[in-house]
């Protein structure tokens, strides 16, 4: 795709207004730094060489859309040392486990966090339908998620972070991955590569934004389920990744956000997870808006939704 065509596609007024507002939020009174780090220092686990190439495209709304992820990374956005409060959020963009809405539910969020002194780390994770994945395709996103948490914790001194205030945030299918990490953080799903792989992968808190939670009928998002476990999964595979069934008393405190009229990922996903958290006495906060649909990201164009990120900041400030 030619550069001129890309530029033309990105001149969608909705996207320009959003980008401009985020730019203002993240440049007033501070200077954020960002860098991209490969997730795996040695051989990428459960993957073989192939002729697949990573694709970066733009949707009609100007959103950066990444598919065929071959080299998973973390993109790290750090606030200035003067602004930093030591907190960090590892972010998993959504995309139905088929692609990643990389800026809309990733870097835009990270930049907004830095304006509050919070480090934002965006994970470009592998997608299970890729032909380069050798086996256990349903575990590949979790492998990358665990590794991302451990990598961030290994950098707390370098990045001026508090190792006990590192949480996660996921959107849609990225919310499923976040809740998978929050309920399967201590399972060994890849061979140890470096010393940091001995560090805990447990998040200190979770924010799940219009998340896929269950793989069971009738409330699952069928596209995410098909991408993750295929068209004919076993009941054991469905139960393992239906995360409302995996909550226990050690699941991290959770912030849930959903719109009641979400036509893609039914609000029952958040309701089921909230119920499981409550049953296990895990601190949880849930906000359900009557309207908003799906995929609204920061919700800046929705009169009601545009304040949700401030609700999240308040919630973070009051965590024990």
């Amino acid at each position: 795709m030619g550069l001129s065509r890309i530029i033309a596609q990105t001149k969608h007024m909705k996207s320009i207004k959003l980008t401009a507002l985020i730019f203002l939020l993240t440049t007033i009174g501070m200077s954020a730094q960002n860098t991209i780090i490969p997730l795996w220092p040695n051989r990428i686990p459960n993957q073989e060489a192939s002729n697949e190439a990573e694709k970066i495209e733009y949707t009609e709304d100007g959103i950066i859309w990444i598919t065929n992820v071959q080299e998973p990374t973390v993109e790290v956005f750090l606030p200035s040392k003067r602004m930093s409060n030591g907190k960090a959020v590892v972010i998993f963009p959504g995309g139905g486990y088929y692609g990643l809405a990389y800026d809309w539910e990733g870097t835009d969020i990270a930049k907004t966090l830095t304006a509050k002194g919070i480090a934002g780390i965006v994970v470009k994770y592998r997608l299970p339908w890729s032909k380069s994945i050798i086996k256990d395709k349903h575990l590949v996103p979790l492998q990358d998620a665990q590794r991302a948490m451990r990598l961030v914790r290994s950098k707390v001194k370098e990045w001026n972070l508090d190792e006990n205030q590192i949480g996660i945030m996921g959107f849609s299918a990225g919310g499923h991955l976040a809740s998978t990490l929050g309920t399967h953080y201590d399972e060994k799903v890849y061979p140890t590569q470096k010393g940091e792989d001995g560090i805990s992968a447990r998040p200190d808190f979770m924010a799940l934004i219009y998340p896929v939670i269950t793989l069971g009928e009738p409330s699952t998002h069928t596209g995410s389920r098909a991408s993750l476990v295929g068209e004919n999964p076993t009941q054991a595979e469905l139960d393992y990744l239906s995360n409302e069934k995996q909550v226990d008393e050690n699941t991290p405190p959770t912030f849930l956000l959903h719109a009641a009229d979400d036509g893609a990922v039914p609000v029952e996903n958040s309701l089921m997870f909230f119920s499981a958290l409550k049953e296990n006495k895990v601190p949880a906060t849930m906000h359900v808006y009557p309207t908003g649909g799906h995929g609204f990201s920061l919700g800046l164009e929705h009169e009601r939704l545009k304040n949700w990120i401030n609700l999240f900041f308040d919630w973070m400030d009051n965590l024990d």
Side-chain angles (χ1 to χ4, degrees), residues 242-310:
S242 288
N243 293 322
E244 79 280 6
K245 298 182 179 182
Q246 306 300 326
V247 173
D248 63 24
E249 65 276 10
N250 295 315
T251 301
T254 303
F255 175 98
L256 288 151
L257 178 75
H258 224 116
D261 67 344
D262 191 328
V265 178
V267 69
E268 282 74 17
N269 282 265
S270 285
L271 297 175
M272 285 188 288
F273 201 71
F274 180 83
S275 178
L277 293 166
K278 181 180 177 183
E279 183 177 342
N280 284 275
K281 297 180 171 54
V282 176
T285 293
M286 178 171 60
H287 297 278
V288 176
Y289 288 84
T291 59
H294 187 73
F296 49 76
S297 182
L298 289 166
L300 297 179
E301 295 186 346
H302 297 263
E303 189 60 33
R304 290 182 174 178
L305 290 173
K306 66 183 181 182
N307 191 51
W308 79 256
I309 193 68
N310 291 318

Side-chain angles (χ1 to χ4, degrees), residues 150-162:
R150 291 176 173 133
L151 178 61
V152 173
R153 278 224 170 89
S154 75
K155 300 285 189 180
V156 291
K157 291 184 179 179
E158 180 180 342
W159 295 346
N160 195 33
L161 303 178
D162 182 336

Side-chain angles (χ1 to χ4, degrees), residues 86-107:
K87 299 177 183 179
V89 177
V90 179
I91 304 162
F92 302 100
Y97 284 120
Y98 177 81
L100 301 176
Y102 191 73
D103 56 344
W104 184 247
E105 296 172 343
T107 56

Side-chain angles (χ1 to χ4, degrees), residues 131-206:
K131 294 178 182 178
S132 64
I133 306 303
I134 300 172
K135 61 180 181 178
D136 297 327
K137 292 178 181 289
H138 65 290
L139 290 179
V140 166
L142 178 58
Q143 290 173 339
D144 289 352
Q146 283 191 3
R147 174 66 191 172
M149 276 298 299
R150 291 176 173 133
L151 178 61
V152 173
R153 278 224 170 89
S154 75
K155 300 285 189 180
V156 291
K157 291 184 179 179
E158 180 180 342
W159 295 346
N160 195 33
L161 303 178
D162 182 336
E163 64 179 355
N164 297 312
Q165 296 199 61
I166 301 173
I168 57 177
M169 178 181 288
F171 295 77
S172 193
H176 182 268
L177 178 53
S179 67
T180 302
L181 177 59
T183 53
H184 298 271
Y185 56 84
D186 60 350
E187 297 178 18
K188 187 173 178 59
V189 294
Y190 66 85
T192 299
Q193 291 200 6
K194 290 189 71 176
E196 55 259 30
D197 283 331
I199 298 174
S200 172
R202 181 184 181 274
D204 292 303
F205 56 87
M206 297 194 291

